[in-house]
Amino acid sequence: MIIMEIGRVCIKTKGREAGQKVVVLSDVKSGKVLVDGEKVKRKECNVLHLFPLKDKVSVGKDAKHEEVVKVLKG
């Protein structure tokens, strides 16, 4: 079972950013996590709107948007 944890790569399944890859930047609090991605602004997202992938990257909560994009691209 894959859980939502810091650095987990996910795909958004709902909203205007549906289909975009994001990285989880915070732990689950009241069903929401902080996410950031290449075409997604840093914001809270409901964990039910995310599809977790097996990929995990090394990134911290204080990482800048450019760092997250660089890690997602490879």
Side-chain angles (χ1 to χ4, degrees), residues 6 23-25 34-37 42 57-71:
I6 296 173
V23 176
V24 176
L25 298 176
L34 185 67
V35 297
D36 195 359
R42 184 172 299 206
V57 295
S58 177
V59 65
K61 182 177 182 176
D62 298 331
K64 295 184 179 186
H65 178 75
E66 293 79 21
E67 294 175 40
V68 174
V69 171
K70 183 178 177 183
V71 170

Side-chain angles (χ1 to χ4, degrees), residues 15-31:
R16 72 177 75 173
E17 294 102 3
Q20 298 295 322
K21 279 189 180 180
V22 295
V23 176
V24 176
L25 298 176
S26 72
D27 293 326
V28 177
K29 292 181 183 160
S30 65

